Amino acid sequence: MRISPLVYLAVPAASQQIWDIWQTTWDRGKLFTSLAPSSPINFVTPGPIGSADIVINDGTTFQSIAGFGGSLTDSSALVLSNLKARNSGNYWNLLTEMFGATDGANVAGLNYIRVPIGASDFSANLYSLDDTSGDTSFSKFNINKIPSYVFSILKDIQSTNNLIKVHLVPWSPPGWMKDSGTMNGGSLQSQYVGSYATYLLKAVQGFQSQGFPVYAISIQNEPQNSNPTYPTCTMSADVEGQIGTALRTLLNGNSLSSVKIVGYEHNWDNAGSYPVQLMNSYGNAFAGAAFHCYAGSVGNQDQFHNAFPSKEIYFTECSGTFGSDWWSDIKWYIDNLWVGSLEHNSRSGLMWNIALDGGGNPKLPGTNSCGGPGCRPLVTVNSDGSFSFNQEFYSMAQASKAIIPKDVGGPFGQRIGVSVGGSLSWALRVGAYVTGRASSSDWLRYSIVVLNWDDSASTTWNPQPVKTTIEFRGMQATYTFPVGVTTLWWFAPATSSAAGSFREDFNNSTRVITVRTHSNTNTTTVKLP
């Protein structure tokens, strides 16, 4: 009887294990810190539930996540460029911790970069990419009107994370196209609708020529906002739709069909009107709509989603304010943005400026934007060459860590079903995600981002850890979440019926058995006599 040279034997499924935990606590005792437990937390046969009970439903899947990040304004790029000149070591440490995506490293993996087309309220001066009046042939168009340090910093970010997604957004058309005659305030004149679409095409081509593939472009930042102290432009849904339709045709005709056009780019409060009107009349041109946090509530995103469930949603801008409470901010960000916005179908989570100085500067001279104490960036860069990450970064990093690719060439995470039960269900705010693998034989990563906000902040201030059970495919793990934000994950096969396997090779009378278990993605090879 001849023995086959390769035999596979099924073995019982091993328990999933949690080895990876990242945490930021309310008292700043841990700041996006890897806990690196010495022994794993095992999923075992279920027992009584904890005070809170997180139930993962990986059979229910939602949108894939494009990523987290912020806007590389001229000011952000200038501040970072100055840091690079002053303290190169700190500069690269900052970029690595923010944008690095190495699996298991102390990095946040931020990857979604929004870049203004021309001046914004965070620029040194007013400029567009073609300030020659009447130049509808765009012979004077020049992508290098954007300060060189913007491209330099973007290249450094790209070298740190080659998975960056660049989303271009104009704050205003060139002044000569507007009824105000300036980039500050006013509206686009109707005769320039087609010309402006060409201008936006050339902006995309300009970034591509600089080595930055463009993921998406918006037609107008905050089209319902007109402010005479910085670049703004009111634009009706009809005009935005006409520009988007013309731009879609131009992009498709110039081998740029993969570039998404994203509409609206304004506050939650009008989610059921402006972007819905835009999709009703011009939906073929637009991938979806983007939202900001400055009016309305995150639940308003559902008004758009319910009207157009197949259209994509992006959350692209919010800003902290200097002087606000650190822990209160983190609770709000997780609840409304990094878990909340994704829970309401967003594919991205972005703040406003990536970097500024300690006063929220530099800003466009004369602007009243970000008045009062000033807008706080993800990272504050100081004149002495030091820097400090803010609450915006720490809360975002916890969420980004859950969805960045596990493998080189692998996908970003996808939101899955999750619910919270138990007597303290109200104490936890939870998002759950699955991340696919580059190889179909490798097990998927299942991640949860958990905010414990049981702090009695409105009364006596009494932060309480919450003993929690985590239910996954009929098994149960237990973990006590401190007051703060915790991100943890485990690995499991794509289906609950998948088992581990033995692979047995017969080679010159020596049996070699390769064992793969569900507790990790590695194999163990054992030689038997």
Side-chain angles (χ1 to χ4, degrees), residues 125-353:
N125 54 271
L126 289 179
Y127 70 93
S128 76
L129 305 186
D130 189 343
D131 287 321
T132 302
S133 182
D135 183 24
T136 54
S137 66
F138 296 105
S139 61
K140 301 298 184 181
F141 181 96
N142 185 1
I143 194 67
N144 290 312
K145 292 288 292 293
I146 295 173
S148 60
Y149 47 76
V150 173
F151 292 125
S152 176
I153 299 303
L154 195 54
K155 284 184 187 297
D156 286 347
I157 293 173
Q158 186 181 51
S159 74
T160 304
N161 185 347
N162 63 7
L163 300 177
I164 64 169
K165 295 180 173 76
V166 174
H167 185 153
L168 303 181
V169 189
W171 262 241
S172 171
W176 55 267
M177 293 187 182
K178 299 170 68 182
D179 56 15
S180 60
T182 173
M183 293 180 72
N184 292 354
S187 300
L188 182 72
Q189 297 183 75
S190 59
Q191 68 264 34
Y192 291 118
V193 165
S195 298
Y196 189 45
T198 301
Y199 174 88
L200 295 177
L201 167 70
K202 293 183 74 67
V204 172
Q205 292 173 324
F207 271 81
Q208 300 269 139
S209 72
Q210 295 284 335
F212 306 110
V214 174
Y215 175 77
I217 183 170
S218 295
I219 304 299
Q220 174 60 46
N221 178 66
E222 299 187 344
Q224 296 177 307
N225 176 35
S226 178
N227 186 312
T229 73
Y230 69 96
T232 53
C233 179
T234 54
M235 185 176 289
S236 69
D238 192 54
V239 170
E240 181 168 319
Q242 292 173 38
I243 297 167
T245 298
L247 178 59
R248 181 75 275 161
T249 299
L250 290 169
L251 290 169
N252 293 351
N254 285 273
S255 302
L256 293 167
S257 59
S258 65
V259 178
K260 299 175 185 288
I261 300 178
V262 177
Y264 189 49
E265 279 278 355
H266 212 165
N267 292 326
W268 285 322
D269 59 344
N270 286 330
S273 54
Y274 189 114
V276 170
Q277 295 166 21
L278 191 62
M279 299 304 141
N280 271 329
S281 299
Y282 304 96
N284 289 340
F286 290 85
F291 295 94
H292 299 179
C293 76
Y294 307 114
S297 62
V298 65
N300 296 145
Q301 288 179 186
D302 292 346
Q303 297 171 13
F304 178 78
H305 177 73
N306 292 339
F308 291 95
S310 65
K311 291 297 186 182
E312 298 173 356
I313 291 175
Y314 294 87
F315 181 83
T316 54
E317 189 180 314
C318 195
S319 184
T321 302
F322 281 106
S324 60
D325 181 70
W326 191 87
W327 172 235
S328 295
D329 288 342
I330 285 185
K331 289 188 288 185
W332 194 90
Y333 292 141
I334 294 293
D335 183 34
N336 292 279
L337 304 185
W338 318 142
V339 168
S341 184
L342 273 59
E343 189 176 72
H344 293 281
N345 299 291
S346 178
R347 293 170 180 262
S348 66
L350 278 65
M351 292 300 291
W352 182 201
N353 284 280

Side-chain angles (χ1 to χ4, degrees), residues 454-463:
D454 184 6
D455 55 16
S456 301
S458 62
T459 55
T460 57
W461 182 251
N462 185 26

